[in-house]
Amino acid sequence: MRADPRWLAALLLLAACRLTSGAEFGPAQLMQAFAAVPAAQAHFTEVRRSDVLRAPIELKGTLHYQRPGRLERRVVLPYQQVMRIEGDRATIENPARGQPKSYSLAALPAALALVEALRATLAGDLAALERHYRVTLEGGREAWTLNLAPRDPALAGAVAGIRFAGSAARLERVEIEETTGDRVTMILVDHQP
Amino acid sequence: MSPRAQVAVAVWLAALVASGTWLARHATVTTDLGVFLPPAATRVQEILVDQLRTGLASRLLLIGIDGVDEAARARASRELAQRLDANGVFVSVANGEPQRLARERERLFALRYALSPGVRPERFGTAGLRAALQEELELLASPLSSLSRRTLPADPTGELRRLAAPLAGTAGPALRQGVWMSADGSRALLAAETRAPGFDLDAQEQAAGLVRGLFAEIAPPGARLRLAGPGLAGTAARAAIERDAGRATLASLLGVILILGATYRSALPVLLSGLPALSGMVVGVTAVSLSFGPVHGITLGFAAILIGEAVDYPTYLYAHAARGEPLAKTAQRIGPTLGLAVLTTACGAIAMLLSSFRGLAQLGLLTMVGITVAGLVTWLVLPSLTPARALEGKLMRLPFGGGALVPGPRRWLAALLVAAALAVIAVHSGRLWDDDLANLSPMPEPAKSLDTELRAQLGAPDLRHLLVVAAPDREAVLQKSEALQPLLERAVAAGWIGGYDLAARYLPSRLTQETRRAALPDGATLAARLAQAQLGLPFRDGLFAPFLADVERARDAAPVDADAWRGTALASRLEALLAPGTEGWVALVPLASLGDTEALRTALQAHGDQDVLHVDLKREADALVAGYRAESLRLVLFGLLCIAALLAAGLRNLGLSLRVLAPALGAALLCVATLLAAGVRLSVVHLVALLLVIGVGLNYALFFNRRPAAEGERALTRLSLVVAGLASLCAALSLAAGSTPVLRAIGATIALGTVYAFLLSALLARRLPPGAV
């Protein structure tokens, strides 16, 4: 049987593409892709498993991001809660309770490390990310997994490890393992610009 | 030696031995600023003085680590903090690491039900507990879960969070690699609080030395240490003054020895010239030590300058000696003039004795005693100690026709100069005085700017604005503080102030503690309510057992007292915030970054507690300096009146008295005018220097206007005056050449004054025909 040269060429081309895209797609390329996104939002479902809980709790809501560092996390079920993060300030508001509470992230290193993982990734800021974590990437552009290992577990305090997964500049899954053994899984769907 | 001279020498030796023995046993020199502050002050001033001397701000050492990369800097910060902590010199060391405050947090946690304003009956009812648990669940399920997760089982009502927020203070610098870094990320920052108060310069110096030493042990190559802080500034200033004063002393000593050596062309008179001033200093310090106790370092410094005038006395004696004349006879001849020169200076000093500032009174006594002793030694002792041979080779007139350099009488020129000076002073009359305490600080400029920079980067409070709460006893002052708290919370929320600190946070009044204890239900009730509150929430069964146990314990615990904080940074903070005063107790409420003074004042007025005062420490400090300066000025003027009276009595001739007084006063005015024209504002330091100018000016004028016994004596008088003037100028210029602002101000003022006084004395001198005195 004689090989069709066109097939062969197509196969070679495909292999070359794979090869180059595999070689080129590292944390820096992923960050570049995120850096090009000025704003994004998605619906999320978050499940937390913890020793202090009889059963996992599940939250539903939306996550909003706006360049360079604004995050808004709206929980609608099973209760309503809005959390806004801008710069050093984190504000939590429950409409039923009124009076938002405001915190300085600088005074809460564990919370800062956690917030920074999400915020720096969405902003495509690799330097900020690497300040807190050792960053490794698996997979390719269309299906990647970003692993974040805290540089100093004693300092990060609460976070044992974080794993983001997604495709291109789209975050689809967040997994957080805390030093207390708590695990958080967040699935993001219905992405909108 | 005549019998009278023998007695004089014997008395002198006895006085020196007695003084020396006393000083060796009892003399202590303090550097405590207290003696330069008024004693009978208001409560506010008492607080100010206390804050300056021992307050929290005075004990803060600001530390920066520059150079090397971020990771190495962070490591150095951690290691340095750990080593400083292990040492007993510091109460606390902060570098942003959360575990640094672990002991304080632990104590807060243990005492939370006594300390937290959140402890109210409704909070521990079923509905309150339900709301608390719901809130805790929402926090747990948020990115801020670390705020709740670990303390949840023992503290589901979140009391620790409420308490720990003020502990961390306002948001410090940003954390990088887990420690504080400046905003541009180039410098690691630490703040250490010394155990010793700020005014204890030796301890402060030791603390700074310790930081430098430990840093040298752990520093990676290329890392640089930056230190600043009030205590450090004090020690640096002291070191600079000591260095400068040492240099100036050496330089002026060399200069004076050269001038006198060239005049006497013999070593012995040069050496003996130092005796009167030295004797005066020793006896004067003894007098101060006997009547005041410890002598202040500043008193010593100023007095050394004022008594410097006494170095001229032997010059007047030796230079006036005619060829072959026994010195005892010379002394007799110039005695009346020398006596007036001494008495006028002593008289000016008497005025200072009346000061309510102990520092000024000390200075007055030291100068008065020192100058008088120096005069007596010159008059009665030196002639016996100086063999006639020693002066055989001395100059008899100014060399190289120098006599022509001394201008002849020209009244119109003097009048013109003084008129110009008055005009300059009138033009500057709006900005005559500098009452900024900071400008009196002898800190060199680079150190000042580093202090400002580190303070800004650390966000360290400047502790300028305070509320002062006063009451007869501690319980009352705590209750008043607690009553103030809602107003303060409102002020923070409205942005009038950035934050505040309050003793009642760490030590609530007994009444409040009782109320909180009463709000805690008994074990069975609490367990039942908690079970009810937990229905429908996903918390594990039995999770809150530690909570139930801790509440039960809190119900039986002894009330929290100041002792509860022993061994933590909060002990010293509490001490700084709450202290017994002269009448009753005083609580201080430091306000951070005051934004709206008017709103706060209005709210305080509405609060209606007369025992709560708002104090601006900077303004109080400036007022204090102004008061000090005003009193010095009053006393200097009063001293001048005394001098004028003395001259009128001593010279028995009003016209002559005025002629003597005019050059001294004119020189002071010219001095002031020159300083003002050069853009300098006057402070206490200048006033002290002007006092010397007046003293020296009077001496010149007295000798210029002295009726010579013979025509040939004019040349001798001119010689003595030029030599004395050059010696003063040399000493003053050595001071002016230093780098310490205070010493430079003194040196420049005296140098100008010496020249002006000499010039005016010469211009206004009366040329009397020779005759009997």
Side-chain angles (χ1 to χ4, degrees), chain A residues 46 48 51-54 57 59 73 79 81 83 94 97 101 103-104 106 108 111 114 157 178-179 182, chain B residues 70 78 134-135 138-141 143-147 149-150 171 175-177 537-540 543:
Chain A
E46 185 185 296
R48 172 178 289 262
D51 272 356
V52 299
L53 299 174
R54 216 169 32 230
I57 48 170
L59 310 182
R73 177 183 184 268
Y79 49 82
Q81 182 198 49
M83 178 171 176
N94 183 325
R97 264 196 291 278
K101 279 195 181 162
Y103 301 89
S104 159
L108 306 169
L114 196 63
E178 298 184 356
T179 45
D182 288 14
Chain B
E70 193 174 283
R78 255 176 246 133
Q134 179 67 36
E135 201 173 339
E138 290 173 21
L139 199 56
L140 184 72
L144 301 186
S145 62
S146 57
L147 271 173
R149 175 62 177 80
R150 283 173 206 273
L175 286 175
R176 287 189 182 208
Q177 308 252 356
L537 291 177
F539 293 113
R540 178 167 57 77
L543 176 67

Side-chain angles (χ1 to χ4, degrees), chain B residues 254-584:
Chain B
L254 276 176
V256 171
I257 286 176
L258 273 178
I259 293 168
L260 295 183
T263 309
Y264 304 139
R265 293 188 241 172
S266 162
L268 194 60
V270 176
L271 282 178
L272 289 175
S273 288
L275 267 192
L278 272 179
S279 311
M281 196 71 190
V282 170
V283 178
V285 172
T286 309
V288 172
S289 172
L290 275 169
S291 43
F292 287 93
V295 184
H296 197 279
I298 299 179
T299 310
L300 276 183
F302 282 175
I305 290 164
L306 289 183
I307 292 179
E309 181 194 324
V311 177
D312 293 350
Y313 297 165
T315 308
Y316 293 131
L317 176 71
Y318 291 150
H320 271 101
R323 189 75 71 203
E325 182 186 32
L327 268 178
K329 210 164 159 232
T330 317
Q332 211 178 354
R333 196 149 46 79
I334 66 158
T337 312
L338 183 65
L340 265 184
V342 171
L343 284 179
T344 45
T345 303
C347 207
I350 283 182
M352 281 194 290
L353 253 178
L354 303 174
S355 171
S356 57
F357 296 85
R358 265 199 310 152
L360 265 190
Q362 280 193 0
L363 183 57
L365 181 66
L366 216 174
T367 308
M368 192 185 74
V369 173
I371 283 288
T372 310
V373 167
L376 285 174
V377 170
T378 307
W379 188 36
L380 299 173
V381 177
L382 273 198
S384 316
L385 295 185
T386 320
R389 283 191 335 279
L391 289 171
E392 268 169 7
K394 77 172 179 108
L395 294 179
M396 293 307 286
R397 60 174 65 249
L398 285 168
F400 318 120
L405 287 178
V406 181
R410 244 168 266 160
R411 276 198 203 172
W412 60 269
L413 188 55
L416 200 67
L417 280 173
V418 172
L422 283 174
V424 170
I425 293 174
V427 168
H428 288 86
S429 62
R431 39 174 300 281
L432 218 50
W433 303 108
D434 180 1
D435 290 330
D436 191 337
L437 189 60
N439 290 346
L440 268 183
S441 142
M443 207 178 353
E445 212 35 68
K448 254 186 209 170
S449 65
L450 177 66
D451 188 279
T452 317
E453 195 179 314
L454 276 177
R455 201 166 281 278
Q457 288 175 342
L458 265 167
D462 50 6
L463 293 191
R464 174 173 170 175
H465 291 278
L466 290 174
L467 295 186
V468 178
V469 185
D473 55 57
R474 199 181 77 173
E475 175 68 12
V477 99
L478 287 171
Q479 285 183 20
K480 276 178 187 292
S481 307
E482 282 161 353
L484 203 56
Q485 206 163 4
L487 185 155
L488 291 166
E489 286 297 331
R490 211 151 23 95
V492 173
W496 303 340
I497 56 175
Y500 67 95
D501 208 352
L502 197 69
R505 258 180 193 158
Y506 319 110
L507 182 61
S509 68
R510 284 291 161 96
L511 182 70
T512 300
Q513 292 197 45
E514 278 312 311
T515 316
R516 283 178 191 156
R517 189 195 302 264
L520 299 173
D522 64 73
T525 314
L526 185 61
R529 288 178 187 170
L530 187 65
Q532 190 78 30
Q534 232 180 306
L535 283 178
L537 291 177
F539 293 113
R540 178 167 57 77
D541 294 333
L543 176 67
F544 299 116
F547 168 59
L548 295 173
D550 282 359
V551 171
E552 191 62 34
R553 204 170 308 134
R555 280 166 50 87
D556 297 331
V560 174
D561 206 354
D563 278 352
W565 299 108
R566 189 173 293 161
T568 72
L570 288 177
S572 69
R573 195 189 288 196
L574 191 58
E575 241 168 63
L577 294 179
L578 180 72
T582 42
E583 33 188 309

Side-chain angles (χ1 to χ4, degrees), chain B residues 117 163 172 176 258 269 393 471 491 599 607 661 714 722:
Chain B
L163 291 173
R176 287 189 182 208
L258 273 178
H607 183 63
L661 208 49
R714 271 192 221 287
V722 168

Side-chain angles (χ1 to χ4, degrees), chain A residues 56-134:
Chain A
I57 48 170
E58 188 182 286
L59 310 182
K60 285 185 185 296
T62 53
L63 191 68
H64 305 257
Y65 165 76
Q66 195 173 14
R67 271 185 75 82
R70 252 189 84 141
L71 271 177
E72 190 175 297
R73 177 183 184 268
R74 289 180 167 272
V75 177
V76 290
L77 275 174
Y79 49 82
Q80 296 208 341
Q81 182 198 49
V82 184
M83 178 171 176
R84 292 188 187 88
I85 293 166
E86 190 160 16
D88 175 56
R89 298 233 65 90
T91 318
I92 291 192
E93 184 176 4
N94 183 325
R97 264 196 291 278
Q99 257 323 309
K101 279 195 181 162
S102 180
Y103 301 89
S104 159
L105 289 175
L108 306 169
L112 177 67
L114 196 63
V115 165
E116 209 58 313
L118 192 60
R119 183 162 61 177
T121 301
L122 292 176
D125 185 349
L126 188 58
L129 207 53
E130 286 191 320
R131 205 156 34 231
H132 295 275
Y133 303 98
R134 262 185 296 278

